Amino acid sequence: MMDDVELACLGPASADRFAVRPLTRRPPGKGEIEVRVEATSVNPIDVRRSDGYGARLFRLMKAGRFPLVLGNDFAGSITAVGEDVQNLSTGDAVFGLKPASANGTHATHVIAKAAHVLKAAASREPCELAILPYSFVTMYLALRGTGLTRDNARGQDVLVHGASGGLGLLAVQLLAQWGANVTAIGWADSHSLLRSAGASNAVDAASKPFAGLDAHFTATLNFASWDDDLALIGCLRTGALGHATTVHPLLATIDRLGWVRGAVASMTIKRRHRMALPAGCRRYGWTLFRPDQEALTELGAVSSHIFLPVGCSVSLAQGPAAFAHVRDGKQGRAVIRPSD
Ligand SMILES: NC(=O)c1ccc[n+]([C@@H]2O[C@H](COP(=O)([O-])OP(=O)(O)OC[C@H]3O[C@@H](n4cnc5c(N)ncnc54)[C@H](OP(=O)(O)O)[C@@H]3O)[C@@H](O)[C@H]2O)c1
């Protein structure tokens, strides 16, 4: 069993990109809990942040200067409860998330807001739960960006790009549960998984996926590639709800051009895409992850029957292998088990 440690990312200029180092714990404050982390995830954003991506924006959140402990998700058991925390006790099995910070979840213990934590279903393993919150909440924010809700999705045609990945597979499952007809663009080897997850149609991402799709969709979601954003907008019908993308150039543009020129350039690009929306459609969203109570409540409601495949599960000392798994685009989510 590990002592109290964390996996620090030392930055792209460092010969050794990561180091396991002692963790200084503090008692949870008002509205906070401390969790002993059984499992945490490595998402594409962690790999990008380890390369310095988004540094200007993350510095605003005191999360942009190396060394950084990365990671947003965790599953484990509560070790301490701060003042004014109701309905959670020491020993409870929980899972949840943290916003971007310099002391993320790749550690044996994390402090999180009690409001960002859900009780874990006894039927689910920490590894299965620790890969859900960050991806689910971002996916949910994207759905909301299109205007789709549990109340209006039934019978609507929705197009999901990047469906073989984490956000895409979660979107397929949630939209199918909401009664939408989901067309999923994904790699051919994931099509049977996508159909079993609830997709009505699966389109091969490798062979000109937009060529055979006409403009009949109520909402389109881009979890794959900015290059395809206009093609997805072109699949919306007149009077559609809207489009949202998690793959947009905002952070990279601000990194490259600075705050003012970056913001102006981003607005210009965004306006150009918004103008491509069909008549009667007004929603066009660039999704940015943030903790969101409504999304977490929805995750709590579906967490016992929603899943992502795990492709890699390693100890904290082997954490760099989990980053390599994501960087190399290998299948399945990457999990770190800090308590092993
Ligand atoms: N804005 C935010 O706050 C936010 C938050 C979370 C995630 N994201 C971004 O959202 C995207 C989805 O996240 P995720 O965790 O689901 O990532 P993921 O698991 O890597 O899934 C992305 C999927 O899209 C596929 N893809 C990439 N480029 C493609 C292309 N040109 N044509 C067809 N398919 C393509 C990928 O295939 P390969 O694996 O073969 O490349 C993969 O199956 C990522 O880019 C992530 O960085 C943004």
Side-chain angles (χ1 to χ4, degrees):
M1 188 175 293
M2 281 273 192
D3 295 330
D4 299 345
V5 286
E6 60 190 12
L7 182 70
C9 175
L10 307 177
S14 216
D16 292 321
R17 180 77 65 107
F18 295 96
V20 175
R21 65 184 191 184
L23 167 71
T24 307
R25 289 167 63 188
R26 66 164 173 89
K30 200 169 175 177
E32 293 180 332
I33 54 161
E34 186 197 51
V35 174
R36 179 183 149 79
V37 181
E38 299 290 341
T40 175
S41 67
V42 176
N43 285 295
I45 188 61
D46 299 310
V47 173
R48 290 193 177 172
R49 284 180 68 197
S50 77
D51 292 335
Y53 168 82
R56 283 184 203 267
L57 186 77
F58 288 120
R59 254 181 240 144
L60 274 190
M61 306 176 210
K62 295 191 169 42
R65 281 187 212 286
F66 295 104
L68 291 171
V69 176
L70 297 165
N72 294 88
D73 291 320
F74 57 86
S77 55
I78 296 181
T79 39
V81 175
E83 263 179 68
D84 284 352
V85 173
Q86 271 125 37
N87 305 324
L88 291 171
S89 312
T90 303
D92 284 352
V94 292
F95 68 117
L97 53 73
K98 287 190 73 165
S101 71
N103 52 347
T105 58
H106 296 164
T108 51
H109 297 78
V110 295
I111 300 277
K113 285 193 177 171
H116 297 164
V117 163
L118 297 164
K119 288 208 176 148
S123 59
R124 302 302 301 265
E125 294 293 326
C127 285
E128 299 172 315
L129 293 173
I131 52 184
L132 296 178
Y134 175 80
S135 296
F136 186 94
V137 167
T138 309
M139 176 280 294
Y140 189 92
L141 292 173
L143 292 195
R144 200 160 70 196
T146 67
L148 282 167
T149 67
R150 178 180 271 282
D151 295 329
N152 69 7
R154 183 158 298 281
Q156 303 292 347
D157 292 324
V158 182
L159 180 60
V160 178
H161 191 23
S164 313
L167 272 61
L169 186 54
L170 289 174
V172 169
Q173 291 173 76
L174 188 65
L175 285 165
Q177 287 177 26
W178 285 358
N181 305 318
V182 184
T183 297
I185 304 175
W187 306 120
D189 59 4
S190 69
H191 282 190
S192 61
L193 175 66
L194 290 169
R195 287 208 178 83
S196 67
S200 316
N201 306 300
V203 176
D204 187 356
S207 50
K208 294 196 169 68
F210 301 101
L213 293 171
D214 58 14
H216 76 277
F217 291 95
T218 300
T220 49
L221 290 149
N222 188 1
F223 302 131
S225 166
W226 174 247
D227 291 345
D228 292 334
D229 211 56
L230 286 172
L232 281 157
I233 293 171
C235 293
L236 289 167
R237 63 171 168 76
T238 301
L241 278 175
H243 171 78
T245 177
T246 61
V247 285
H248 49 72
L250 180 65
L251 273 65
T253 308
I254 289 173
D255 279 346
R256 192 162 46 86
L257 299 177
W259 276 107
V260 177
R261 286 176 57 221
V264 171
S266 298
M267 298 274 277
T268 307
I269 300 166
K270 196 171 178 183
R271 198 175 309 120
R272 186 160 50 83
H273 280 227
R274 187 185 286 281
M275 282 170 63
L277 292 173
C281 174
R282 286 196 304 279
R283 289 194 181 85
Y284 174 69
W286 285 9
T287 306
L288 268 183
F289 164 77
R290 62 175 189 282
D292 180 89
Q293 221 52 56
E294 184 184 301
L296 281 166
T297 302
E298 184 70 26
L299 174 58
V302 299
S303 66
S304 58
H305 47 275
I306 209 161
F307 75 98
L308 288 176
V310 174
C312 155
S313 176
V314 297
S315 68
L316 197 74
Q318 298 165 323
F323 277 77
H325 177 92
V326 179
R327 189 183 290 281
D328 296 345
K330 293 198 175 142
Q331 287 191 347
R333 307 312 274 182
V335 174
I336 295 176
R337 304 181 316 269
S339 299
D340 279 13

